[in-house]
Amino acid sequence: MSRRHVPTLSADSAVISTATGDSSNVSTDSSAVQTRARRTTALSTQSDIHDAILHPGNVRINVRGAFIVDDTNSEPSTPRSEDYEHDPHEIRLPHHTEVVSHIAVDIGGSLAKLVYFTREPNSTSDGGRLNFVKFETDRIDSCIDFMRKLQADYQRNNGSKPEELCVMATGGGAFKYYDRIREALNVEVIREEEMECLIIGLDFFITEIPKEVFTYSEDSPMEFMDLPSQPPSIYPYLLVNIGSGVSMIKVSGPRQFERIGGTSLGGGTLWGLLSLLTGARNFDDMLKLAAKGDNSTVDLLVGDIYGGAYNKIGLKSTHIASSFGKVYKQKRVAEQEAEDGCNGPLKTHTPEQELVSGTSELPHPSSMFRPEDISRSLLYAVSNNIGQIAYLHAEKHNLPHIYFGGSFIGGHAQTMNTLSYAIRFWSKGSKQAYFLRHEGYLGSVGAFLKRQPRNWGRRNSFETGEKMRV
Amino acid sequence: MSRRHVPTLSADSAVISTATGDSSNVSTDSSAVQTRARRTTALSTQSDIHDAILHPGNVRINVRGAFIVDDTNSEPSTPRSEDYEHDPHEIRLPHHTEVVSHIAVDIGGSLAKLVYFTREPNSTSDGGRLNFVKFETDRIDSCIDFMRKLQADYQRNNGSKPEELCVMATGGGAFKYYDRIREALNVEVIREEEMECLIIGLDFFITEIPKEVFTYSEDSPMEFMDLPSQPPSIYPYLLVNIGSGVSMIKVSGPRQFERIGGTSLGGGTLWGLLSLLTGARNFDDMLKLAAKGDNSTVDLLVGDIYGGAYNKIGLKSTHIASSFGKVYKQKRVAEQEAEDGCNGPLKTHTPEQELVSGTSELPHPSSMFRPEDISRSLLYAVSNNIGQIAYLHAEKHNLPHIYFGGSFIGGHAQTMNTLSYAIRFWSKGSKQAYFLRHEGYLGSVGAFLKRQPRNWGRRNSFETGEKMRV
């Protein structure tokens, strides 16, 4: 990653005078060196802090030259913990020098995603890093504790009062936990509209961050997209945001968007059903199970019905005709054999005589089927379904690009492969699925960047929000 | 139901000379009485049988004046059995007098649906009835036994050899069980293309059978549609056929159709998952559970995330944001409490240390959640999803009417209500769902009628199939 020129800083302000992407205001290398040398003192002047207090959250983040830190050997700046997961792919902002007086959190139905800026400890270089940490929403208190630690760090580094840090919050939890966060931290909590944040975050990732957006296929996993040469060319597009549920958002231009659909069959459905059906007790385990599974033991395939392909309509024999379509039958047969002895006549129900029973009198039902196979089948079912509905919406609204965001994907190969396959299958190869390395942090990054002034940034990706539609 | 005039029969043939719906060829009442008197003998002449042998399945079914027998007190002509379910809503064909030398069966992934014609025992009236009987496909042998009994009856009544009855078969099982049926019955099995049969059956029901097609809403369940005054006005339409899986078929005209989509999340998914998750061991019990359930204990609602409605995008607080979205959380909390004691710190996973276990060490997981609530949630999830994908296809192809067929619906109020609601919700009230009383028998009725000659029937609903597309 080549280092870029650093703009001159004025003596009494850390605010970069302009950063519109042309080179007219960039400094010489010598001034850059000068800047680095005085960073830790000059940038924390009282006037910077005063500015941050007057306009909480209204700090300009300089995203010029931002890149993903790919040094996976470097430990994240937080200690390992059971309470959260720190994404190792921090984003370095080499030119951001201003004091950042806010953190941002996106609290969804299952996960709370936190984004915050840190200077690099023991480093003499300019800039700093965006950090990405996630918590489960039902342990929101861990998240609030974490924010309290950030607040203490901020106070220690900048000498300000605790209330001078502000929290940008989005997602449903920004409303639900509003009072709790405000009281716990004794700070201002600024709530931001969820979908607007998603879009701001996604636009940032597409437009500003190299090696962020990629396509996925088994042959060529993670093929990175170039940054767009003409940012407006990225519109219109479809964002499919998969969290507990799924939202589909049509984006026509910067901050011009509309929720055009969604489905309740999302990550929460997969996790919920798999936690009932398998012994797996967390997402990672479920995905590990799915990776080892064979869905053909539980799914009814075209070949199972037809004894081969259904050529007339072009369905392969391995095409899934019915997800979990084999389970009911096989379970019935096993139960009947257990009741009647293996060779007895198959006795079936008489609805009138049978009590509707609330609990099975049989052994744990899933013991008949491998948890691996159940996991894979359900992962396929949910991912395929999302892919199909996404395609139908993209086609209806004539949206050439489909981006998948949200924590459901979690960088999991099989999930991305299924979503990619579904888009290719339904669009007959005319559309492609795009993924992001920070797919779970669109909303929180959007909230973090939200207060960007106009025309900030290298590539004009954060322009006017006047025409926003919701 | 008023009785209609009966056409004259020629002495040497049971074939009605014309039945195009005009009254020019109808007989006087006295000849009708004459006809009735000699029916049982005159119609079973050797020449009729010879005709049926030469053209197996090629018998003209006179559908003029057909109606549903609504006398639910009258027992079906078959004895009650655990092996099958005889639909009490037989269809009376008051003008069909010819020998019928075929039966029809549609063998799907879960159910085999049989249609056959019988004279009315101990009745002196003309015509006869279409009977509808279904079997579970994994008990195909019961179905074959049943067909053998029909064959014996046919032989007894008509004095012909066993091979003179023929079986029209459709659905995937027509291929899979082809040899088995042929060998067991020692008859010709004529296989018919599944989707063509579905469409022929549906066109028949829409066009010929009064009180067959209806809309459903909680306020006004079963509002019957009038028969179309201009049959071609029924096109184009979308058929959503829900069996184990779901097929969506665009129908542009008589026998002009194309499969435009489908989903693997169908009846098999609901039945399979519910058989794993609840104690219910048959479809009826599952639906009874669902009727008593409250999905809000397992589904994550908009109100659970936002603490109220998400007004900006018009989602009510009771809108389902994530199906089963509460399960994972609640299960985790309960497990952690069980491990740590109720007031201990919440200990969570460390993926590295934890074995991916295939069986739960905990009590039966679904004991935490009521089977009623799980059933309702899954019924909602599957039905809503089908409704949404159906709407998207109907809109994409500009199809004003959406008919739901297939055994999944089973006349179940909640299923129809959810499908109707989904179509109204997604189409913003511009489209409606239509249901059928014989929704499970489209394919088998289509196979039964398939060999109809052109221009047969009262309303010209069985015209040319030249332009068929698959």
Side-chain angles (χ1 to χ4, degrees):
Chain A
M1 185 66 54
S2 66
R3 295 216 7 98
R4 292 162 188 274
H5 292 292
V6 180
T8 329
L9 294 171
S10 63
D12 62 346
S13 167
V15 178
I16 298 165
S17 57
T18 176
T20 50
D22 65 347
S23 58
S24 59
N25 282 298
V26 299
S27 67
T28 62
D29 270 356
S30 68
S31 73
V33 171
Q34 229 183 341
T35 305
R36 273 198 294 278
R38 68 187 182 188
R39 180 178 57 81
T40 45
T41 51
L43 297 179
S44 300
T45 61
Q46 284 307 309
S47 71
D48 301 346
I49 293 162
H50 181 73
D51 192 56
I53 294 166
L54 285 180
H55 311 286
N58 200 4
V59 176
R60 287 159 272 192
I61 306 297
N62 188 346
V63 299
R64 189 160 68 88
F67 63 92
I68 297 173
V69 177
D70 260 328
D71 178 12
T72 47
N73 294 326
S74 80
E75 277 284 302
S77 50
T78 52
R80 272 178 188 278
S81 166
E82 291 177 348
D83 289 333
Y84 56 79
E85 195 180 315
H86 195 130
D87 192 311
H89 297 294
E90 294 163 4
I91 289 182
R92 184 154 158 70
L93 301 171
H95 301 300
H96 186 82
T97 46
E98 197 174 354
V99 168
V100 177
S101 64
H102 67 285
I103 59 179
V105 63
D106 172 8
I107 310 175
S110 300
L111 294 169
K113 285 82 62 177
L114 187 65
V115 171
Y116 60 95
F117 179 82
T118 52
R119 301 283 167 200
E120 283 150 341
N122 314 320
S123 161
T124 54
S125 62
D126 268 334
R129 290 181 179 205
L130 287 183
N131 297 268
F132 305 92
V133 184
K134 69 181 173 201
F135 304 78
E136 288 177 25
T137 301
D138 58 341
R139 344 183 88 222
I140 191 72
D141 289 328
S142 305
C143 179
I144 292 172
D145 282 350
F146 194 96
M147 292 196 277
R148 228 188 326 234
K149 282 199 201 89
L150 292 178
Q151 188 180 37
D153 291 348
Y154 175 81
Q155 193 179 359
R156 196 171 47 245
N157 292 341
N158 300 296
S160 57
K161 295 173 204 153
E163 65 267 28
E164 287 159 7
L165 186 82
C166 100
V167 175
M168 314 290 291
T170 188
F175 296 84
K176 194 169 176 186
Y177 300 112
Y178 177 73
D179 291 333
R180 208 146 140 195
I181 299 171
R182 222 170 47 150
E183 281 157 25
L185 275 76
N186 191 28
V187 294
E188 186 172 6
V189 176
I190 300 177
R191 285 175 291 196
E192 296 292 346
E193 207 283 313
E194 182 174 359
M195 276 187 296
E196 195 183 2
C197 290
L198 286 175
I199 299 309
I200 293 173
L202 178 52
D203 275 358
F204 167 72
F205 283 123
I206 298 174
T207 319
E208 306 287 348
I209 308 298
K211 295 194 181 174
E212 173 69 46
V213 178
F214 60 96
T215 59
Y216 188 93
S217 69
E218 264 174 351
D219 299 337
S220 174
M222 277 201 136
E223 192 156 307
F224 289 113
M225 298 291 103
D226 291 335
L227 288 184
S229 53
Q230 291 289 329
S233 71
I234 68 171
Y235 306 110
Y237 66 75
L238 178 69
L239 165 60
V240 181
N241 196 59
I242 317 177
S244 305
V246 183
S247 280
M248 302 198 184
I249 304 162
K250 171 185 164 181
V251 184
S252 316
R255 304 199 186 188
Q256 289 176 16
F257 58 89
E258 185 185 9
R259 185 185 195 273
I260 54 173
T263 166
S264 73
L265 295 171
T269 316
L270 183 75
W271 302 324
L273 284 172
L274 286 189
S275 74
L276 291 178
L277 290 167
T278 72
R281 293 170 66 175
N282 58 64
F283 308 158
D284 283 335
D285 282 1
M286 292 173 192
L287 293 175
K288 279 182 204 154
L289 285 173
K292 291 187 289 178
D294 171 9
N295 68 303
S296 74
T297 64
V298 292
D299 289 348
L300 193 67
L301 307 184
V302 165
D304 295 319
I305 304 178
Y306 289 86
Y310 188 4
N311 290 322
K312 251 193 157 169
I313 56 173
L315 293 180
K316 283 191 229 166
S317 67
T318 54
H319 187 92
I320 301 170
S322 171
S323 298
F324 290 90
K326 274 183 189 150
V327 168
Y328 177 78
K329 279 189 197 188
Q330 291 189 7
K331 197 163 169 285
R332 277 284 297 273
V333 170
E335 286 167 5
Q336 286 160 350
E337 283 174 357
E339 280 172 11
D340 302 332
C342 281
N343 298 316
L346 295 185
K347 184 174 159 281
T348 181
H349 68 282
T350 46
E352 298 74 16
Q353 295 163 352
E354 201 168 305
L355 258 177
V356 180
S357 148
T359 50
S360 175
E361 296 142 33
L362 293 156
H364 191 306
S366 62
S367 65
M368 276 188 61
F369 302 94
R370 294 173 65 226
E372 290 85 349
D373 300 348
I374 289 175
S375 302
R376 181 174 279 226
S377 167
L378 202 63
L379 178 69
Y380 275 179
V382 170
S383 306
N384 254 323
N385 193 61
I386 294 169
Q388 181 181 15
I389 295 176
Y391 156 71
L392 287 166
H393 278 102
E395 210 197 30
K396 175 178 167 182
H397 293 272
N398 205 18
L399 307 172
H401 292 88
I402 304 175
Y403 294 92
F404 287 91
S407 306
F408 171 73
I409 298 162
H412 185 246
Q414 227 180 345
T415 310
M416 294 190 289
N417 199 36
T418 311
L419 289 168
S420 281
Y421 176 81
I423 298 298
R424 282 199 306 273
F425 177 84
W426 291 106
S427 73
K428 298 189 173 80
S430 71
K431 288 188 200 296
Q432 235 181 339
Y434 295 91
F435 302 96
L436 294 109
R437 287 167 85 184
H438 292 92
E439 80 272 298
Y441 293 94
L442 307 187
S444 43
V445 164
F448 188 84
L449 297 171
K450 179 80 194 297
R451 298 277 162 153
Q452 283 264 357
R454 291 187 191 185
N455 300 326
W456 193 260
R458 180 167 52 95
R459 302 167 63 84
N460 292 340
S461 58
F462 298 108
E463 276 173 8
T464 170
E466 304 309 313
K467 290 184 193 164
M468 183 186 98
R469 276 199 300 160
V470 184
Chain B
M1 184 65 55
S2 65
R3 290 205 24 87
R4 293 163 187 273
H5 292 290
V6 181
T8 329
L9 294 170
S10 64
D12 61 347
S13 166
V15 178
I16 298 167
S17 58
T18 175
T20 49
D22 64 346
S23 58
S24 58
N25 282 299
V26 299
S27 67
T28 62
D29 270 357
S30 68
S31 71
V33 170
Q34 231 183 336
T35 305
R36 273 198 292 279
R38 67 185 183 191
R39 180 176 57 81
T40 45
T41 51
L43 298 179
S44 300
T45 60
Q46 285 307 311
S47 70
D48 302 344
I49 293 162
H50 181 71
D51 192 59
I53 294 167
L54 285 180
H55 311 285
N58 200 5
V59 177
R60 287 160 272 191
I61 306 298
N62 187 345
V63 299
R64 189 160 68 89
F67 62 92
I68 298 173
V69 178
D70 260 327
D71 178 13
T72 47
N73 294 327
S74 79
E75 278 284 301
S77 51
T78 52
R80 273 179 187 280
S81 165
E82 292 176 350
D83 289 333
Y84 55 80
E85 195 181 314
H86 194 130
D87 191 311
H89 297 293
E90 294 163 2
I91 289 182
R92 184 153 159 69
L93 301 171
H95 299 302
H96 185 83
T97 46
E98 196 174 354
V99 168
V100 176
S101 64
H102 68 285
I103 60 178
V105 63
D106 171 9
I107 310 175
S110 300
L111 294 169
K113 286 81 61 176
L114 186 65
V115 171
Y116 61 95
F117 179 82
T118 51
R119 302 283 166 200
E120 284 148 341
N122 314 319
S123 161
T124 54
S125 62
D126 270 333
R129 291 182 180 202
L130 286 183
N131 296 268
F132 305 92
V133 183
K134 68 181 173 202
F135 304 77
E136 288 177 26
T137 301
D138 58 342
R139 344 183 89 222
I140 192 71
D141 289 328
S142 305
C143 179
I144 293 173
D145 282 349
F146 193 96
M147 291 196 275
R148 230 189 321 235
K149 282 199 202 87
L150 292 178
Q151 188 180 36
D153 291 348
Y154 175 81
Q155 194 180 357
R156 195 172 49 244
N157 293 339
N158 300 296
S160 57
K161 294 173 204 151
E163 65 268 30
E164 287 159 7
L165 186 82
C166 101
V167 175
M168 314 290 291
T170 187
F175 296 85
K176 193 170 177 185
Y177 301 111
Y178 177 73
D179 292 332
R180 209 146 139 195
I181 298 170
R182 224 169 45 150
E183 282 159 25
L185 274 75
N186 190 28
V187 294
E188 186 172 7
V189 176
I190 300 176
R191 285 176 290 196
E192 296 292 345
E193 207 284 311
E194 181 173 0
M195 275 188 296
E196 194 183 2
C197 290
L198 285 175
I199 299 309
I200 293 173
L202 178 51
D203 274 359
F204 167 70
F205 283 123
I206 298 174
T207 319
E208 306 287 350
I209 308 297
K211 296 194 179 173
E212 174 70 47
V213 178
F214 61 95
T215 58
Y216 188 94
S217 69
E218 263 174 353
D219 299 337
S220 175
M222 278 201 134
E223 191 156 309
F224 289 112
M225 298 292 102
D226 291 334
L227 289 184
S229 52
Q230 291 289 328
S233 72
I234 68 172
Y235 307 109
Y237 66 74
L238 179 68
L239 166 60
V240 181
N241 196 57
I242 318 177
S244 305
V246 183
S247 280
M248 302 197 185
I249 304 162
K250 171 184 163 181
V251 184
S252 316
R255 304 199 189 188
Q256 289 176 17
F257 58 88
E258 184 185 10
R259 186 186 195 271
I260 55 174
T263 165
S264 73
L265 295 171
T269 316
L270 183 76
W271 301 323
L273 285 173
L274 286 189
S275 74
L276 291 178
L277 289 167
T278 72
R281 293 170 67 176
N282 59 64
F283 310 157
D284 284 335
D285 282 2
M286 291 173 193
L287 293 174
K288 279 181 203 155
L289 285 174
K292 292 187 289 177
D294 171 9
N295 69 302
S296 73
T297 65
V298 292
D299 289 348
L300 192 67
L301 307 184
V302 165
D304 295 320
I305 304 178
Y306 289 85
Y310 189 5
N311 290 322
K312 252 191 158 170
I313 54 173
L315 293 180
K316 283 192 230 168
S317 67
T318 53
H319 187 91
I320 301 169
S322 171
S323 297
F324 290 90
K326 274 183 189 148
V327 168
Y328 177 78
K329 277 188 195 187
Q330 292 188 7
K331 195 160 169 287
R332 277 283 299 272
V333 170
E335 285 167 4
Q336 285 159 353
E337 282 174 356
E339 280 172 11
D340 304 331
C342 281
N343 298 316
L346 296 185
K347 182 172 160 284
T348 183
H349 68 281
T350 46
E352 297 76 16
Q353 295 163 353
E354 199 168 306
L355 257 177
V356 180
S357 147
T359 50
S360 174
E361 297 142 33
L362 294 155
H364 191 306
S366 63
S367 66
M368 275 188 61
F369 302 94
R370 294 172 65 226
E372 290 85 349
D373 301 347
I374 289 174
S375 302
R376 181 174 279 226
S377 167
L378 202 62
L379 178 69
Y380 275 179
V382 170
S383 306
N384 254 323
N385 192 62
I386 294 169
Q388 181 181 14
I389 295 175
Y391 157 71
L392 287 166
H393 278 102
E395 210 196 32
K396 175 177 167 182
H397 293 272
N398 205 17
L399 307 171
H401 293 89
I402 304 175
Y403 295 92
F404 286 91
S407 305
F408 170 74
I409 298 162
H412 185 245
Q414 227 179 347
T415 310
M416 294 190 289
N417 199 36
T418 311
L419 290 168
S420 282
Y421 176 81
I423 298 298
R424 282 199 306 273
F425 177 84
W426 291 106
S427 73
K428 299 188 173 79
S430 70
K431 288 188 199 297
Q432 235 181 339
Y434 294 92
F435 302 96
L436 295 109
R437 287 166 86 185
H438 292 92
E439 80 272 299
Y441 294 93
L442 307 187
S444 43
V445 164
F448 189 83
L449 297 170
K450 179 80 193 299
R451 298 278 161 151
Q452 283 264 357
R454 292 189 189 186
N455 300 325
W456 192 261
R458 181 167 52 94
R459 304 167 62 84
N460 292 340
S461 57
F462 298 107
E463 277 174 8
T464 168
E466 302 310 311
K467 290 186 192 160
M468 184 186 99
R469 277 197 301 160
V470 185

